[in-house]
Amino acid sequence: MNDQSTLSDIHFILHEVLKAPVHLQALPAFAEVDADLMHQVLDEAGKFVGEVIAPLSRTGDEVGCQFANGQVTTPPGFKEAYQAFWQAGWPSLACVPEDGGQGLPGVLEAVLYEMLSGANHGWTMAPGLLHGAYECIKHHASDALKALYLEKVATGEWLATMCLTEPQAGSDLGLVRTKAVPQADGSYRLNGTKIFISGGEHDLTDNIVHLVLARLPDAPPGPKGLSLFLAPKFMPDGSRNTVYCERIEEKMGLHGSATCVMRFDEATGWIVGEPGRGLSAMFVMMNSARLHVGLQGIGLLEAAWQKADAYAKERRQMRAPGRGTSTAEADPIIEHPAMQRILDTQRAWIDAGRVLAYKTALELDVIKHHPDSARKAEAERWCSLVTPVLKAAWTEQAFKGSSECLQVFGGHGYVREWGIEQIVRDSRVAMIYEGTNEIQAIDLLVRKVLADGGAGLMALLQTLSDAQTDHNALNRLFKTQMTALCDLTRKLVAACATDKALGYWVADDYLRAVALTLLAWAWTHIEQVAMVAEDARWIRPADALQHWVLPEFAMRVQIIAARLP
Amino acid sequence: MNDQSTLSDIHFILHEVLKAPVHLQALPAFAEVDADLMHQVLDEAGKFVGEVIAPLSRTGDEVGCQFANGQVTTPPGFKEAYQAFWQAGWPSLACVPEDGGQGLPGVLEAVLYEMLSGANHGWTMAPGLLHGAYECIKHHASDALKALYLEKVATGEWLATMCLTEPQAGSDLGLVRTKAVPQADGSYRLNGTKIFISGGEHDLTDNIVHLVLARLPDAPPGPKGLSLFLAPKFMPDGSRNTVYCERIEEKMGLHGSATCVMRFDEATGWIVGEPGRGLSAMFVMMNSARLHVGLQGIGLLEAAWQKADAYAKERRQMRAPGRGTSTAEADPIIEHPAMQRILDTQRAWIDAGRVLAYKTALELDVIKHHPDSARKAEAERWCSLVTPVLKAAWTEQAFKGSSECLQVFGGHGYVREWGIEQIVRDSRVAMIYEGTNEIQAIDLLVRKVLADGGAGLMALLQTLSDAQTDHNALNRLFKTQMTALCDLTRKLVAACATDKALGYWVADDYLRAVALTLLAWAWTHIEQVAMVAEDARWIRPADALQHWVLPEFAMRVQIIAARLP
């Protein structure tokens, strides 16, 4: 991501559409953060990403991480880039100064990670878990553990992992079997096998800090029997802990990130938080982690769009309809309707995704720092409801939309040369990890909307609607969808009271309906600012949204309505 | 593909639903072909595919074709499998006996290639172009050329290529620049570079027969200036012709097939057909070639479904809704609604796809062999209208549906071990080659439907509707869609008369609307036979079709209607 137009788009959404500096200055922690500072940080970030990280993406894919004798070698250049990254202070952007951080808002970190993911998804997996680990240690670890690990993780000098999944326990972490046995010195002995551990082993940093879900000897079965432990690769005395990488997975993409099978073989660890509270200690940063996966989707789709847009402007094939008078042998394919449609549709998703994701990041800053509890509750409502939608709908669009961008290249899209097929392969994983998209849909509908009779979602939509002042076509569309969605929600709540399976059958459609309503809302927001200028940059995706994207809303409503009694 | 249930599904569609033997026996060429013979051939085919071809799929992907010093080495086992394949007579199944063939109906070849593609898409690329090359040589080459090449290509002793695409000429073959200069001995000297040539070089056969689009010195620009030439790798005297593979592409998938850049460097060739008639000589087998790509989609989606279905029955995670009383720790994920829905939806597409594809193959047999010209014209109408729909909609479903099947595996789907991600990667190319899916949509709407004012399509739909005797829910749905589609077609024809670009904007939606109508029709056909038995095997996908698939029809109509004046 070194494209100036992308950065100016990002600034436009942050400053003009969302008025981020105004919102941040209401938080005492960020009273000093103004538009200039935000510009400066993001311009620097864009430069670093474009110059240092993006050029490593193709090597990351082609060479990939290599495994031999328990060691993982990252692709050429990855280690140097990571050392430059942490030494420049990027991992600690949003950590507080007393932990060695820079005390900047999380929204800046969110934009940084969007840019990093689009430039080099594989490399970005390495620091991607750092902030979550930092929050987890900060809020749950003992003072002794914090003294050893908090600053190292805050600054990124040491990288961290989340060791959750086991061969028999994926979406269902209640099935985790790794055992933790207490020792006389207050430590625990960990035994078990964890799979799909991103960065479980590598050569990027001197030490690796593993956060591990495991079960105490007397723990009950299921999720409530899980506790969280910290187990470093190297012990404080420098000796090697007995946690080993057994192999790394051969994957569809994301070759720049080692996905490890980790064996804990009487490994030493220390408990983080209360026994039996392991899941809640990890889930404290769930909204932030899911937001970041949604941002990966946005970043990857932007990268795919950039490539396809540039290609479509250069490549000439056939005469475009209505271009009979050109003297050239053929017209640029961007003038062919099928190609324009693909490109503008992706822009509609990317631009709206940024509005929603940056707003979510701002609301996470509010949750952390706002003095007023009512305002915090409102922010919590937004994050709780919008995050699963962002995660699921924007990772799905990253995969499907980057595949459409591949189509713009014709046969050239299927070969490595243009880098577009790598984006399709890399992006596919984001629909799976951090809770599959199906789990996100169940989280939204069954665990959140049905749980409060739809009150939270309807109140949120009402707030969005009340804030609308314009009355153009897009506003009317948003209000129509919002009304239909509230009506559907009421009926669904009633029907699910007697039919417990119903919510599970239509959760995916419901999440899509919410996503399409938020998409419409985000564009009314953009339109209020941008349309004044009658700028084709914004008008074309807004048209694409109305013509090609939003009609799905009625289909989703129809699918759900047909299942109602 | 060695699964007995797949073969019995195929037999069911061919025999019970389509009554294929009855239709074939009406053709003098196939008077001897009865149900027993068809069973016997396909059972043998299934055995060969399952035992010889399927086991090579993963090696084909992982080792891939290797290029060095102008030579291509195919993956281990590919050559032996190909030699066994042609020596067993499989390539010549549908060639006439006088050319060394077995004189069987094309529909059997279609099923063979569906099975082959699902088992090993990469390997199947090698013989995949043979039949087209055979037809092309048979119908257009001189007797002297036929004497040298027809039987070798019919039997598959020598493999063939289609050399069309050039760096600047993809979808737009009118831009082809390869030159052919006539020589005193009646041959031509060919000079130019062709790209994306599947099997342009390999070690599977002793010789390779290239069919090459090129331009005579006095030819006009554009498609009408193209002629077709045959240029072998080895000349009849055994000397090496000057056509060389310069490199092979690194691709997203399909690693078992070498995608070659071919350089014709004063290569010797002979003209096939008339000068300036090169495209028509190749397009004679276009319907058959596009049908076969649609069948690749069906075969690959079946393979993905098989894997996901088996996994979903074994893998246990969480309690499925309504299964609270089980004593097991967790339920098989096939009992989770989100997973059932994915699996049943793919079956709805596969089963209907088989009905439509096998019927198309039968109609191609009718075109070749039926004595009655009115019946032939009807068959030509079917093939002309249905083939682009099959090609586009079923290759799209292969990619999207196999990606959904990958989702059933969770994180395990993203790693190589289960083979599902290979299907997603392999299948992606079928949306591009043999005319991109966008080109198919333009072919259907702009070149065919608009060209005759919608008369052909509406007559075809009326014929299908008239043949319906039942009046159940699915029949009504089909008739509703059919009526809406005819109505929309009329309006679109009127609107496109004044707005020449409109058809290009909505071609994709129109093709989807036709696909969904044919899907509904195919299932009414299946239902008439299968539902009697009240068999969950057929009821579940029929339900999925109605609940999750067909609602898209109204959305497509709405999208198009919104663009009408």
Side-chain angles (χ1 to χ4, degrees), chain A residues 1-2 44-55 112 115-116 119:
Chain A
M1 211 299 299
N2 56 0
E44 273 306 307
K47 212 172 129 192
F48 186 88
V49 170
E51 291 174 4
V52 181
I53 305 304
L112 167 67
M115 295 194 287
L116 284 169

Side-chain angles (χ1 to χ4, degrees), chain B residues 414-491:
Chain B
Y414 198 66
V415 303
R416 273 213 195 136
E417 197 178 342
W418 295 89
I420 186 82
E421 63 86 30
Q422 183 190 341
I423 298 177
V424 178
R425 285 186 291 105
D426 286 355
S427 68
R428 185 62 184 78
V429 74
M431 293 170 68
I432 300 170
Y433 62 25
E434 204 56 44
T436 67
N437 285 1
E438 288 76 13
I439 299 275
Q440 304 296 326
I442 290 168
D443 179 58
L444 174 71
L445 177 59
V446 181
R447 295 185 203 142
K448 289 170 180 169
V449 172
L450 295 181
D452 74 352
L457 183 76
M458 288 192 278
L460 182 147
L461 291 172
Q462 196 57 54
T463 310
L464 298 181
S465 177
D466 290 346
Q468 302 278 319
T469 50
D470 283 9
H471 299 284
N472 57 24
L474 202 47
N475 276 80
R476 282 194 298 275
L477 211 44
F478 162 64
K479 294 206 174 177
T480 307
Q481 289 189 193
M482 179 228 144
T483 308
L485 182 58
C486 288
D487 183 49
L488 183 74
T489 302
R490 272 180 226 105
K491 289 178 183 155

Side-chain angles (χ1 to χ4, degrees), chain B residues 91-113:
Chain B
S92 64
L93 201 69
C95 302
V96 297
E98 55 267 36
D99 300 328
Q102 319 203 22
L104 287 166
V107 68
L108 292 177
E109 189 189 60
V111 177
L112 167 66
Y113 276 90

Side-chain angles (χ1 to χ4, degrees), chain A residues 412-430:
Chain A
H412 298 278
Y414 198 67
V415 302
R416 274 213 193 136
E417 197 177 342
W418 295 89
I420 187 82
E421 63 86 29
Q422 183 189 342
I423 298 177
V424 179
R425 286 186 289 106
D426 285 356
S427 68
R428 184 61 183 82
V429 73

Side-chain angles (χ1 to χ4, degrees), chain B residues 258-270:
Chain B
T259 304
C260 303
V261 176
M262 300 300 294
R263 182 165 50 86
F264 292 83
D265 189 3
E266 297 282 306
T268 300
W270 299 276

Side-chain angles (χ1 to χ4, degrees), chain A residues 178-209:
Chain A
T178 296
K179 284 277 172 209
V181 178
Q183 306 297 305
D185 66 357
S187 73
Y188 292 77
R189 283 278 176 282
L190 303 177
N191 280 288
T193 297
K194 295 286 181 178
I195 62 170
F196 301 153
I197 308 309
S198 296
E201 181 58 59
H202 57 70
D203 54 7
L204 300 175
T205 51
D206 297 336
N207 201 358
I208 302 174
V209 178

